[in-house]
């Protein structure tokens, strides 16, 4: 196991440089003048423009800019925005908010998604199975911004159960946007769990367990569910990082000042340093999450060995 972890950590190096190079190139190679975007309609002297250009290395060739950026990241410096604020300070302020939102969404899709998929898989071709398949397909077919507006209309304005925007009411403010953020992933988790459970209920080891006279709860909980969770865990591990990065639309709809909202505002203001800095953090989250998922395989299936 130790050798495997070391090998995976070494694999992080080319993945990190490749991903950050691609992101950096896509952001800073786009046409546009961020200095002009900063000034807006106000006049800016040539000396001030040149000072800002030199400060943010905008005159350097793209490879030189990337090398300077990576050198700063390796020292914990993700750069500064055009107002002189450290990108790392922006992330420290906003990460807890996005993390709360992602936690609500992840808990929602884990409990409800796996539970619905498990029950539908065991009771296949029944009413609940049909309900799960139809409802999940409906959720997948509706764009996330439509689900968000609909949730605000019903649960916020009509029934007045949850706050509509902002984070003034603490954890309660994150429940509705968390449910919206996790709704599409929940639909995929439910369908994936159902398909995996249906497949495993026909496996020889499940039939053997039933033939031995084991209780149905043990057959389902130990033999069926445990083996069915391997593809589900893979999806959930990747989706955890996606929830952090995919919160841009949800945070904008519910006016939550998190990472997604910061990225959206930075794109509008053409502040590439903020976009690249936050995206670099998300790349690191993805890599660590995937490593933890791979290690969890051995817990779910003792047959998997990494040494």
């Amino acid at each position: 196991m130790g050798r495997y972890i070391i090998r995976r950590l070494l694999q992080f190096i080319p993945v990190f440089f490749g991903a950050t190079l691609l992101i950096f190139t896509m952001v800073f190679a786009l046409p546009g003048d961020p200095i002009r975007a900063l000034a807006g309609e106000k006049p800016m002297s040539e000396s001030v423009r040149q000072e800002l250009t030199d400060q943010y290395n905008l005159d350097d060739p793209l490879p030189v800019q990337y090398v300077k950026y990576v050198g700063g990241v390796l020292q914990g410096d993700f750069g500064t925005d055009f107002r002189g604020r450290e990108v790392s300070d922006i992330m420290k302020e906003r990460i807890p908010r996005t993390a709360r939102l992602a936690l609500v969404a992840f808990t929602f899709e884990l409990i409800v998604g796996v539970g619905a998929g498990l029950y539908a898989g065991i009771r296949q071709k029944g009413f609940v199975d049909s309900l799960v398949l139809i409802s999940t397909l409906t959720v997948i077919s509706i764009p996330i911004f439509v689900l968000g507006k609909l949730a605000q209309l019903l649960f916020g304005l009509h029934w007045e159960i949850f706050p509509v925007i902002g984070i003034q009411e603490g954890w309660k403010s994150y429940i509705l946007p968390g449910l919206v953020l996790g709704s599409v992933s929940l639909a995929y988790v439910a369908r994936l769990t159902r398909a995996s459970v249906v497949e495993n209920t026909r496996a020889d080891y499940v039939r053997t367990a039933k033939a031995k006279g084991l209780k149905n709860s043990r057959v389902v909980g130990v033999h069926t569910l445990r083996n069915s969770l391997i593809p589900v865990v893979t999806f959930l591990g990747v989706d955890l990082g996606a929830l952090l990065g995919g919160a841009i639309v949800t945070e904008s709809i519910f006016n939550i000042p998190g990472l997604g909202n910061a990225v959206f505002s930075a794109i509008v203001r053409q502040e590439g340093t903020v976009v690249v800095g936050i995206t670099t953090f998300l790349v690191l989250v993805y890599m660590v999450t995937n490593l933890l998922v791979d290690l969890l395989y051995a817990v779910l299936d003792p047959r998997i060995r990494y040494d």
Side-chain angles (χ1 to χ4, degrees):
M1 181 71 75
R3 291 181 179 180
Y4 174 77
I5 295 176
I6 294 174
R7 188 164 62 248
R8 285 295 305 271
L9 291 176
L10 292 176
Q11 292 175 358
F12 281 1
I13 298 175
V15 172
F16 172 79
F17 283 106
T20 54
L21 177 60
L22 179 61
I23 294 168
F24 192 91
T25 302
M26 291 177 62
V27 171
F28 285 98
L30 292 175
D33 187 355
I35 302 300
R36 174 176 292 182
L38 173 65
E41 299 181 356
K42 298 179 181 178
M44 177 178 291
S45 65
E46 189 60 33
S47 60
V48 174
R49 170 183 288 274
Q50 188 60 44
E51 181 181 353
L52 291 173
T53 301
D54 295 339
Q55 179 181 350
Y56 294 99
N57 306 311
L58 298 179
D59 272 348
D60 293 337
L62 198 61
V64 176
Q65 293 184 44
Y66 175 72
V67 170
K68 290 182 178 179
Y69 172 74
V70 171
V73 169
L74 295 178
Q75 299 176 24
D77 180 12
F78 288 85
T80 59
D81 64 8
F82 288 142
R83 293 166 178 75
R85 188 178 182 187
E86 296 286 340
V87 176
S88 56
D89 292 338
I90 297 176
M91 290 193 292
K92 289 178 183 177
E93 177 185 350
R94 293 177 178 257
I95 284 175
R97 300 164 184 166
T98 301
R100 294 189 190 101
L101 181 62
L103 178 61
V104 172
F106 187 78
T107 304
F108 177 53
E109 68 180 77
L110 175 63
I111 297 176
V112 180
V114 173
L118 175 62
Y119 193 86
I122 295 174
R123 307 286 184 178
Q124 54 183 304
K125 298 182 180 179
F127 172 76
V128 175
D129 186 26
S130 300
L131 179 63
V132 168
L133 291 176
I134 294 174
S135 60
T136 53
L137 182 59
T138 302
V139 171
I140 293 172
S141 304
I142 301 177
I144 191 69
F145 62 87
V146 176
L147 288 175
K149 292 299 183 180
L150 183 61
Q152 285 180 322
L153 177 63
L154 294 179
F155 296 98
L157 298 178
H158 186 65
W159 294 324
E160 298 183 353
I161 300 175
F162 300 110
V164 176
I165 60 173
I167 56 174
Q168 290 78 15
E169 297 190 34
W171 276 98
K172 187 177 181 180
S173 302
Y174 293 94
I175 295 178
L176 187 58
L179 298 182
V180 172
L181 178 61
S183 57
V184 176
S185 296
L186 180 148
Y188 283 115
V189 169
R191 297 177 73 90
L192 182 60
T193 303
R194 177 199 176 274
S196 187
V197 168
V198 170
E199 180 182 356
N200 281 284
T201 52
R202 301 167 183 167
D204 292 337
Y205 57 83
V206 173
R207 285 198 292 264
T208 302
K210 291 180 179 179
K212 288 181 178 180
L214 296 180
K215 293 182 179 179
N216 189 57
S217 59
R218 181 171 178 81
V219 173
V220 173
V222 177
H223 297 278
T224 304
L225 180 60
R226 185 170 181 178
N227 289 280
S228 301
L229 282 180
I230 292 180
V232 179
V233 167
T234 303
F235 177 84
L236 288 172
V238 175
D239 190 60
L240 181 59
L243 289 175
L244 294 173
I248 295 178
V249 176
T250 306
E251 289 185 356
S252 300
I253 293 174
F254 291 91
N255 195 25
I256 297 177
L259 286 177
N261 199 297
V263 170
F264 178 77
S265 300
I267 292 174
V268 173
R269 297 194 301 265
Q270 298 186 27
E271 292 189 348
T273 306
V274 178
V275 177
V276 174
I278 294 178
T279 311
T280 299
F281 167 75
L282 295 177
V283 168
L284 295 174
V285 171
Y286 266 110
M287 292 191 299
V288 174
T289 303
N290 284 330
L291 175 59
L292 295 177
V293 168
D294 288 346
L295 297 178
L296 187 57
Y297 286 162
V299 177
L300 294 174
D301 191 346
R303 296 171 297 179
I304 298 178
R305 291 291 183 267
Y306 293 113
D307 291 334

